Amino acid sequence: MQVSLHRHQLSLSNRDNGWACDGRHTTAGCLQKCTGFDQTKGWKRYRCAACDYDLCVTCARAYSVEKSNEIQQVQVTTHQHTLRRDYRDNGWSCDGKNEALGCLRGCTGFSQSKGWKRYRCSACDYDLCGKCALIQYSSQNSSQNIVKTSAHRHSLQLSQRDNGWACDGRKLRGGCRKGCTGFNQTRGWVRYRCKSCDFDLCEQCTKKYSLSQPRVPEADNIPNASPSLAPKPKQRGVKETKKPAAKSPGDGELDNCCCICMDEEKNAVLVHGETSHLCCCYSCAKNLKAQNSPCPICRAPIESVFLCY
């Protein structure tokens, strides 16, 4: 057997002479709790005779080359230290249950993780299951899973829990964008959640109230753009006459719509310092002020709200 801990292959040995598992020298220690000699009576033994190197069968299987392709260490947003792959299955509990989004596999206590992948910080006694470590709380995915909206004062984080939750967008003006009116109607929906406030939004409501608007690329920067979008060459001796931009019907109405609900007219002034913005209706402005949300235009703290007649 080839293992990742030793450069030579190990062979199964039947000698039972008080040997000790060299897995005890690793960070995780021997997976069968061997700490010295004369503790391995009756254990299966894998050995490299040339190097006098021994592993118990549990350590040999855990560190075999077949499993060495797994991710051995991961950095997460919920812990300051790097977590390392741990193959011990001793009734451990996923500490993701204590985090904002809970355990992705639904762990709520000890002795529920039999057969699960385990990532561990031995110094802090901190464990995460494979799904929590590699998906939910991975530092690589954290920026994609958090969104700031005008509907709530805290950031919302992507949640995988599907427990009959209800979209709180149903309580806002216009209702839920996907038509949710109560609990047990959101099976399979994408969920964004603030656990401290028990506030949830579906994907459509999150997009509607998101404060980070997507950037629209300019026509000149679009690859393989239509020739009609490219600037036409100037002709000699011909004066260019600028034509007024054609306005489609309803453009004026759209410009005067509230930037949050997109239903009411802009009639509220958001005051911050020596400046102010007229960008939303009075109802949405009061909600922003009550939730301590910043101005949706310049992100400055809102000091007061005035109705504009």
Side-chain angles (χ1 to χ4, degrees):
M1 176 183 290
Q2 186 68 53
V3 296
S4 58
L5 298 178
H6 194 66
R7 62 184 182 275
H8 299 149
Q9 286 193 346
L10 307 184
S11 302
L12 186 63
S13 175
N14 294 321
R15 296 185 63 188
D16 194 354
N17 56 354
W19 61 278
C21 176
D22 288 305
R24 68 187 190 278
H25 301 308
T26 63
T27 304
C30 173
L31 303 185
Q32 289 192 208
K33 304 295 185 182
C34 174
T35 57
F37 293 96
D38 299 318
Q39 300 177 13
T40 57
K41 187 174 179 62
W43 292 11
K44 286 187 177 180
R45 175 187 189 183
Y46 282 86
R47 176 170 175 77
C48 172
C51 303
D52 191 22
Y53 185 87
D54 299 285
L55 286 180
C56 66
V57 64
T58 306
C59 289
R61 289 175 179 174
Y63 296 109
S64 67
V65 171
E66 295 177 357
K67 292 193 175 184
S68 64
N69 293 329
E70 293 180 338
I71 298 176
Q72 296 298 315
Q73 58 184 26
V74 62
Q75 191 70 43
V76 295
T77 58
T78 55
H79 194 67
Q80 68 269 29
H81 300 147
T82 300
L83 306 187
R84 301 183 184 280
R85 182 73 166 92
D86 195 317
Y87 295 92
R88 288 180 293 180
D89 197 354
N90 55 356
W92 60 278
S93 173
C94 177
D95 287 307
K97 66 183 184 295
N98 302 322
E99 305 298 344
L101 301 179
C103 173
L104 189 54
R105 300 197 63 168
C107 178
T108 57
F110 292 95
S111 303
Q112 301 177 7
S113 56
K114 186 174 180 63
W116 293 6
K117 284 185 178 181
R118 178 186 190 183
Y119 286 86
R120 175 172 175 79
C121 173
S122 301
C124 303
D125 191 22
Y126 184 87
D127 298 283
L128 286 181
C129 66
K131 286 193 174 182
C132 285
L134 301 176
I135 301 175
Q136 183 144 275
Y137 299 114
S138 172
S139 58
Q140 296 180 354
N141 300 331
S142 60
S143 60
Q144 303 173 2
N145 296 343
I146 300 176
V147 63
K148 183 68 175 175
T149 66
S150 60
H152 194 65
R153 63 182 182 275
H154 299 149
S155 295
L156 305 184
Q157 193 164 9
L158 184 66
S159 175
Q160 304 291 339
R161 299 185 65 186
D162 196 354
N163 57 353
W165 60 279
C167 175
D168 288 306
R170 70 190 191 278
K171 303 175 184 178
L172 304 175
R173 183 186 295 272
C176 172
R177 304 294 286 183
K178 293 192 71 172
C180 175
T181 57
F183 293 94
N184 299 314
Q185 301 177 12
T186 57
R187 183 174 180 82
W189 291 13
V190 177
R191 178 187 190 184
Y192 285 86
R193 175 168 175 79
C194 171
K195 186 177 181 181
S196 60
C197 302
D198 192 22
F199 183 87
D200 300 282
L201 285 182
C202 67
E203 183 180 16
Q204 295 298 327
C205 288
T206 302
K207 288 181 179 178
K208 176 182 178 180
Y209 297 110
S210 174
L211 294 178
S212 56
Q213 297 298 329
R215 180 179 177 271
V216 180
E218 299 177 358
D220 294 341
N221 297 330
I222 302 177
N224 302 324
S226 172
S228 60
L229 297 177
K232 296 181 179 180
K234 296 181 181 180
Q235 297 181 1
R236 293 183 179 179
V238 178
K239 295 183 179 180
E240 290 185 355
T241 57
K242 293 184 179 180
K243 295 182 180 181
K247 289 188 177 181
S248 60
D251 277 353
E253 297 177 2
L254 186 61
D255 291 341
N256 198 36
C257 283
C258 170
C259 69
I260 297 177
C261 67
M262 300 298 291
D263 293 327
E264 303 295 332
E265 293 184 358
K266 300 176 183 178
N267 61 354
V269 178
L270 306 179
V271 180
H272 30 67
E274 298 179 355
T275 59
S276 61
H277 281 117
L278 176 63
C279 58
C280 59
C281 66
Y282 189 60
S283 178
C284 291
K286 288 193 298 183
N287 290 336
L288 290 175
K289 175 63 177 173
Q291 296 171 2
N292 293 325
S293 298
C295 172
I297 302 299
C298 64
R299 311 292 295 161
I302 300 173
E303 298 178 358
S304 57
V305 175
F306 294 97
L307 180 62
C308 181
Y309 295 97

